[in-house]
Amino acid sequence: AYSKKIFNCFKSYLEYDPKQKHCTIKLKNLDFSREFNRGFLRGLLDTDGTICFSKNQKKPEIVYYTTSASLAKQIKALLITFNVDSNILKIKSKKKCEKDYYHVYLLTSGKERFIKTIKPFKAKKFGLVV
């Protein structure tokens, strides 16, 4: 972000090691308002996640991606506050120069609730959000 106002806004909610932002980033705490948490989950899915349909699938796959183990755990914790079940899958790096990464994927039982509550922008292209 080039705008100092935007950067300072992010800094009030996030903490990270400036030398390794991608794998150390996390929310400062999980005690933000329900509306903030909903918006955070929406925005994070729309930037670092996906909603897609695999062949012959009736429900979409909904997955967050991150190299931050702390952020993956926080995403799962926030989803629980919205009664959305998820799991974390750790993908081990095959190369020493790469980081492990995490998929936080929603279980079928919570996908519909997630779409109705969080209303991610990516869901609109499939007509899942009105």
Side-chain angles (χ1 to χ4, degrees):
Y2 294 104
S3 167
K4 191 171 186 174
K5 285 182 181 180
I6 293 171
F7 181 77
N8 288 335
C9 180
F10 286 147
K11 287 275 293 182
S12 65
Y13 295 103
L14 303 171
E15 64 182 46
Y16 52 86
D17 176 351
K19 294 177 183 173
Q20 294 185 324
K21 288 183 199 93
H22 55 86
C23 61
T24 62
I25 195 159
K26 64 182 180 177
L27 287 165
K28 288 187 174 182
N29 64 65
L30 298 179
D31 296 330
F32 297 114
S33 72
R34 186 165 175 83
E35 283 306 302
F36 173 86
N37 291 340
R38 186 171 75 82
F40 180 78
L41 287 171
R42 178 191 299 150
L44 190 61
L45 183 76
D46 288 330
T47 57
D48 292 338
T50 191
I51 296 179
C52 62
F53 283 89
S54 297
K55 201 174 190 178
N56 300 322
Q57 227 179 348
K58 293 184 181 184
K59 300 258 185 197
E61 292 297 319
I62 303 173
V63 186
Y64 290 90
Y65 306 103
T66 182
T67 55
S68 170
S70 297
L71 183 59
K73 290 175 189 170
Q74 288 179 325
I75 293 166
K76 183 172 174 54
L78 288 176
L79 289 167
I80 288 169
T81 67
F82 289 96
N83 296 316
V84 174
D85 294 325
S86 64
N87 275 330
I88 299 173
L89 176 64
K90 180 179 179 179
I91 310 295
K92 293 288 285 173
S93 169
K94 294 178 182 169
K95 299 178 184 175
K96 286 184 180 182
C97 63
E98 294 176 353
K99 302 285 183 191
D100 295 339
Y101 58 98
Y102 303 87
H103 292 186
V104 182
Y105 61 93
L106 277 60
L107 301 179
T108 301
S109 60
K111 291 177 183 179
E112 193 171 321
R113 183 179 306 108
F114 175 84
I115 290 169
K116 285 181 180 177
T117 306
I118 306 302
K119 299 179 182 173
F121 296 112
K122 285 185 176 179
K124 290 180 181 181
K125 75 177 180 180
F126 295 113
L128 300 171
V129 175
V130 181

